[in-house]
Amino acid sequence: MLRRRLNRLLGGDERRVDSRTIYVGHRSSSTTEAFIPPKFCDNRIVSSKYTVWNFLPKNLFEQFRRIANFYFLIIFLVQVIVDTPTSPVTSGLPLFFVITVTAIKQGYEDWLRHKADNEVNKYPVTVLEQGRKIRKESEKIKVGDVVEVEEDETFPCDLILLQSSRDDDTCFVTTASLDGESNHKTHYTVPDTEKDLESLNATIECEQPQPDLYKFVGRMHIYKNEQEPAVRSLGPENLLLKGATLKNTQKICGVAVYTGMETKMALNYQGKSQKRSAVEKSINAFLLVYLCILVSKALVCTTLKYVWQSKPGQDEPWYNEKTQREKDTNLYLKMFTDFLSFMVLFNFIIPVSMYVTVEMQKFLGSFFITWDKDFFDPEIKEGALVNTSDLNEELGQVEYVFTDKTGTLTQNNMEFIECCIDGFQYKYRDANSELDGFCVTDGPVNKVQEKAGREREELFLRALCLCHTVQVKESTKQSQGDGLIDQVDGFGVDGEVPRPPQEQRGFIASSPDEVALVKGAMRYGFTFLGLESKTMKILTRNNDVEMYELLHVLNFDPVRRRMSVIVRSKSGDTLLFCKGADSSIFPRVRQEEVERIRMNVERNATEGYRTLCVAYKYLSAEEYAQADAGLREARLALQDREEQLITIYNQVETGMSLIGATAVEDRLQEEAAETMEALQGAGIKVWVLTGDKMETAKSTCYACRLFQRNTELLELTVRTLDDGGRRREERLHELLLEYHKKAVQDAPPVKAGVTRTWSSATQDYGFIIDGATLSMVLNSSSESNSSRYKNLFLQICQNCASVLCCRMAPLQKAQIVKMVKNSKGSPITLSIGDGANDVSMILEAHVGIGIKGKEGRQAVRNSDYAIPKLKHLKKLLLAHGHLYYVRIAHLVQYFFYKNLCFILPQFLYQFFCGYSQQPLYDAAYLTMYNICFTSMPILAYSLLEQHICMEVLLDNSTLYREIAKNAMLRWGPFLYWTLLGVFHGLLFFFGVRYLFSNPALQDNGQVFGNWSYGTIVFTVLVFTVTLKLALDTRHWTWINHFVIWGSLAFYMFFSFFWGGIIWPFLKQQRLYFVFANMLSSVSAWLVIILLILLSLLPEILLVVFRKPRGPHARQIAAVTPLSYKHLKERE
Amino acid sequence: MVKEEQELANRPDNTAFTQQRLPAWQPMLSAGIVIPGFVLIGLAFIGIGVALFVTSRSIQVLEFDYTGVDQNSPCFKCSDPKVLNCVCNLNFSIDSLFKGTVFFYYGLSNYYQNFRKYGVSKDDVQLSGDLTNFKTPSDTCSPYAYDSNNQPIVPCGSIANSMFNDAFKLYQIINGTNTLVPFDGKGIAWWTDYNIKYRNPSITPLKNAFNNTVKPIFWSKPAYELDTSDPANNGFINQNFLVWMRRAALPNFRKLYGRINEGDYAQGLPAGNYSLEIAYNYPVLSFDGRKKVVFSNVSWMGGKNEFLGIAYLVIGSMCVFMSIVMLIVYAKFKFPEEDGVPGH
């Protein structure tokens, strides 16, 4: 129900003034007007992005819009156009590889979409044309066609229901594929349409298509020969949405109003906004640094080249004369070309393969979440769902968790606990209710202790039975029959009317509270039998069946926080029953009744129950007539229908008398408290955002151990504001300052964020705020105050261990998330929720988690990750998130490092070759380095590494703090890796340089040339960076072994192969036998070993000296190697 | 769209891989491993270093700069580029026997054989004996692909064109008479270069293959006359040519010219007076270059190179030193996890 409002908020409130007119069955309304069929789009669904023809250009265009791809394209083009040191192949090949792989992936995905589209578009449907049934392909349906749909078929487009095979002119649908709600919803035919669709002459005027699933306004004009046309209002209850399925109804006929891409389903189908992870931002920052390094290297080389050439004899020694064209070229143009050449020579410092590897890592890595059997919930038979793999590492960076209460912290599995009628408490002792649900021998009379008088009791129970929108599930006949036979004996005693098996009676409702209430009433003897053609039947305690005519339902919405029904009893009395939150009911009933009930309600709330108050009133004939007219008029309105309705609702729901209140328990989720404790241990601040009332929410917080016994609560609610009897604004100001002093100024300075909740000496604060106060804080009357309050509020909240925000509207939830997200230090936020009212905050937060709960699928659909239960959040963050973060952070740093020490020797070589852009390495090595020789080990590492094993991570939530605030990708570690890269690069180059001071390195006195030089450096390089990764690997599975040693073996094999053959079609055979000759030299071997060891020794020393000595040293050191035996024991 | 049809089959596989529970070896670097490791590595390095250093020390080297910049230099008269076919004699004496096969190198300084444009300026196809590239040399050879009469140059390109053309003859002066010490010009180039990579066209006589081509501008004689005495050392497989074609890595380099391994000199150069007759042709002064000759014998590690030995010694001692430091640190502070051996 909440989602109606929500969708309006999300869908934007823009009013579409335009409306469209549809001629039912393409019959013109009147004979005089010329019939011009209006143009609408056809019923083809196109979710695919490409066609065969535009795939190549469009896909390429989209790929090159990515800045990295574009950069490599530019480099490639420069290589093609300008005479550059390396052939275009060296950068063209990797780019081509990347582009092709991506294109194939996207092409495949699009092919799947095409297939799905075709399945929908070619689906055969039945269309009534001139009285005949014609089978058509779904895509050929036009607006105005009358379509026939049979049971269990999905609707091919948005239809206005004209005719149903059911007697009561209704039909049932499920919208499982739209919003995931599997309950049956009732839709109504347009009243007074003719049974004979053939002769129906009508037009429909309705709004232009808009995405809100729960909103539709329209009008139908029915023309009957020469009479004034009859006008009927159309609402969402008349509209059958494409994608929904017809249930429990043999067949229906409807007229198409929105088709194809204009259906609500298609309009709702949109790509989610791209969330970017903090790691990605770090990558871009590092990339910028490396781009600067690249440009400055090229600039330095270009400058030095011309300085060097200015010395006589250096520019053009006789042995290296220039061609005529070179001599003719303009000096500045030459400089520019030289600059470009250097750029090309050094461009490998920004690796094209890093993007591929990062994408692969994310894509493949996310499978571990889906595969995790700990996330599998046997109840719903589903595991975790990953909607985006871009945010894996963000799970390891969460600082704030915003959680919904109902359905997230609690199970949303409502149980009727007690009620209170006229101030008397009725507690339902359900010792054996779990067994058969109803103690027949006890007798209903005994259950109700008749404290408040029989009449009041029965009125209350009738109210519970009538005031709802629950439907009775029509289960298959067989199972019901079985149930009946089992129970018949027990009931036979009771009376002539055989009671249906109560607990087996299935109720369906959009909110579990309603079911709990109806079931609660059933326990006291009042059973709701169902709603048939606007008549509600209830079975009373005396086994009489009472009939009530349902006149109006005044729907629930989260703003009013109440709902009402208007019914007419057999005796002709018109009654209004209303139930809702205490705050919305109390002002609308007689005040003297309130006090008796209020106490009970508040007591129930502190016990953690959800409370609702029930009120009623008799409507006199005039009152009813007035209300009826008002409601009907409002329902017909095309504009501002909702506002008009709410006004009428408010008018009707006044002057009621309070009967009682109910208390429904919502149990905590499994391991909710443990999960919350773990999150807090991990340094994550947990905020509870709920629409529920404060007392209920507070007790849930205590139960979840978000608030401890010693937590000092700072309350900023309407109640505390009203204390002291001053203006709210002033009081707010005062309280904010007071709390700020307490929580922020007097708090001891936080020591590096680690010791905070460890030492119990510091006082923990909990903060409570409600929706009304929050809006005061956020939208204060004066501008200056507003920002000041906001700041104070944020600072207080950030110093509190946990914060509770109650009475929140969905949009306010998102507002809070946004506020925290944009606060100083831009902390990483995570929202978790299960209902449609959480969608806004799920979309707003950095990471949105949906719980596959009972309130439909909207949260899941809009989330980045979906898990079956709250308890899974712990493993998702502490184990998966932590590991993903460490993996990708290491991946990124390692990638930059390995390319820096790859290119640095090439840069240094320029100083020894007269700045002539001579590459140090062969083109094959330049190309293969990132693709083949060093890519697989890091990919395997980034998928498999567990520097601390999962159990330890789960047991010690404090380990999560070690990587907080992007710890591994800050400038410090980046500098370390960069320096390491520089150190290695210098070592490689100069080590070999000094060896080559005498190039006679073979025992036969022969000398080595420049390619031998490059090959020695390259060999050292490949071995060092691979072994460096091996040193960092803490978790050696057979895959790591295979890939690391395999890569090195492949390098050796490739080098032999590449140098072992005179390659046809190649102009240059420069590497011919260079590698083999190198290996025949003892000196080369010795220098390779020396340089590798020298590069790695400092690392080893550092590891030993940096051995963890902090408080967690033991935990980290206690990581024992997993033997296979060990594993088996654990399982 | 929501995936509605999640079924029991969707239950994740319970395999070690999917559950990230692959059996794994989790090495821990701890003092218990690192200290002995450092000692071992250090000792091994010191051992290798000593061997290298001793070997390098035992290698004898004799080096002479003969560019002729200095007025007293015997080749000073030749350093003027106007003097043609200049020959100068470099006299020197050896005190003790120059052991083993003596290798004779020529060396150039400030000479950039590793210029990029210079380096690509050759035609590997032509040099592998393909006659089509005799007529149309590759573009990379420019500006040494065709001469001014548009005749193709073979071998084309800067590298070939700039081939070192000083010639050396060594005489031992015994009792005032010069005895020629023969240089063996074979086995100075890589075996694969000589046997596979470079090929003469299979036309006899070789001269005919070079019809309608011209010799490189700088050369005094065409390629087929590089060594007329030995057809296996002529043309593109002339070993001096091959040595030159393998570009040096750095601007100061030496290249092998010949070995002294014949007759009386097979055991080395005996002590005595020698005279090196140099046909001074190669101009280097225009770009401030230097020329030198080097006599050297070699060992298993190649020519003399002290760097490697010293580096090994230094790193080895550093390792040992670091292990001692670590030992002291760890002995003093006695960390609880000092044993560091995981697994219990």
Side-chain angles (χ1 to χ4, degrees), chain B residues 292-324:
Chain B
K292 65 181 176 186
V293 288
V294 181
F295 294 90
S296 168
N297 48 16
V298 298
S299 68
W300 51 271
M301 58 170 283
K304 193 181 183 82
N305 193 342
E306 309 237 304
F307 160 73
L308 213 49
I310 292 170
Y312 264 88
L313 282 173
V314 170
I315 310 284
S317 354
M318 255 168 57
C319 282
V320 174
F321 174 73
M322 282 317 296
S323 60
I324 291 168

Side-chain angles (χ1 to χ4, degrees), chain A residues 353-610:
Chain A
S353 58
M354 185 173 78
Y355 286 89
V356 190
T357 314
V358 166
E359 296 247 306
M360 294 243 281
Q361 193 270 349
K362 286 183 168 184
F363 176 70
L364 297 176
S366 61
F367 279 111
F368 283 120
I369 294 179
T370 7
W371 282 338
D372 197 326
K373 72 172 166 39
D374 291 350
F375 291 155
F376 184 78
D377 188 56
E379 254 174 64
I380 57 170
K381 296 191 177 60
E382 275 178 52
L385 179 75
V386 178
N387 287 331
T388 169
S389 55
D390 288 344
L391 299 170
N392 291 343
E393 67 276 6
E394 206 86 330
L395 294 172
Q397 290 294 307
V398 174
E399 287 166 72
Y400 285 87
V401 166
F402 298 95
T403 165
D404 175 40
K405 188 181 79 72
T406 316
T408 308
L409 285 176
T410 61
Q411 291 185 346
N412 203 9
N413 189 1
M414 304 294 169
E415 187 122 1
F416 187 84
I417 294 295
E418 62 172 56
C419 59
C420 131
I421 304 169
D422 278 354
F424 296 101
Q425 185 191 355
Y426 290 73
K427 194 142 195 140
Y428 182 73
R429 295 183 307 274
D430 56 347
N432 49 0
S433 67
E434 294 296 322
L435 298 173
D436 63 11
F438 199 78
C439 317
V440 187
T441 45
D442 257 9
V445 186
N446 296 351
K447 293 302 285 182
V448 179
Q449 292 99 333
E450 306 223 5
K451 286 176 190 166
R454 195 181 173 85
E455 201 171 312
R456 295 294 280 182
E457 273 171 25
E458 291 193 345
L459 180 66
F460 178 75
L461 292 173
R462 281 195 185 97
L464 287 191
C465 277
L466 293 172
C467 182
H468 56 71
T469 53
V470 173
Q471 290 159 27
V472 178
K473 193 194 261 169
E474 295 182 11
S475 48
T476 55
K477 292 247 162 55
Q478 203 180 348
S479 67
Q480 207 160 11
D482 287 350
L484 256 168
I485 291 159
D486 285 347
Q487 307 262 338
V488 133
D489 292 343
F491 290 115
V493 190
D494 237 17
E496 60 274 44
V497 183
R499 215 176 262 271
Q502 316 290 357
E503 285 297 313
Q504 279 177 347
R505 181 170 282 268
F507 294 112
I508 315 162
S510 46
S511 141
D513 295 66
E514 295 207 304
V515 177
L517 291 181
V518 173
K519 281 186 175 168
M522 199 157 78
R523 288 183 186 154
Y524 291 113
F526 275 76
T527 309
F528 174 59
L529 289 178
L531 172 71
E532 269 169 40
S533 54
K534 298 250 166 196
T535 309
M536 293 176 106
K537 279 197 279 190
I538 57 174
L539 186 67
T540 65
R541 258 193 271 189
N542 310 325
N543 285 327
D544 298 330
V545 176
E546 287 180 7
M547 311 272 249
Y548 293 89
E549 189 189 346
L550 180 63
L551 299 171
H552 284 286
V553 177
L554 283 55
N555 278 328
F556 178 86
D557 76 58
V559 181
R560 294 196 306 133
R561 304 179 61 84
R562 62 180 181 271
M563 69 148 311
S564 309
V565 290
I566 302 175
V567 294
R568 181 173 290 147
S569 69
K570 266 278 168 60
S571 54
D573 292 329
T574 311
L575 283 147
L576 177 133
F577 291 108
C578 179
K579 72 167 193 272
D582 48 10
S583 59
S584 66
I585 297 281
F586 286 165
R588 303 180 166 271
V589 297
R590 284 193 279 281
Q591 287 310 305
E592 65 270 18
E593 292 166 338
V594 170
E595 287 315 310
R596 288 177 293 175
I597 306 266
R598 186 196 290 270
M599 213 181 64
N600 262 304
V601 170
E602 276 175 8
R603 186 179 47 78
N604 282 333
T606 43
E607 281 164 10
Y609 300 140
R610 294 159 70 88

Side-chain angles (χ1 to χ4, degrees), chain A residues 833-896:
Chain A
D834 71 322
N837 56 341
D838 306 317
V839 170
S840 57
M841 72 169 180
I842 285 176
L843 289 174
E844 182 65 49
H846 291 99
V847 189
I849 309 244
I851 293 215
K852 297 179 170 177
K854 301 195 168 155
E855 285 189 37
R857 283 269 163 167
Q858 270 201 320
V860 173
R861 217 161 38 134
N862 290 293
S863 64
D864 303 310
Y865 300 88
I867 47 177
K869 289 273 167 64
L870 176 77
K871 64 175 177 181
H872 299 136
L873 186 65
K874 180 179 166 187
K875 192 178 183 190
L876 189 65
L877 295 190
L878 297 191
H880 285 286
H882 190 129
L883 290 179
Y884 281 131
Y885 176 73
V886 170
R887 289 165 182 174
I888 200 137
H890 199 277
L891 168 78
V892 169
Q893 298 279 26
Y894 178 76
F895 245 100
F896 282 111

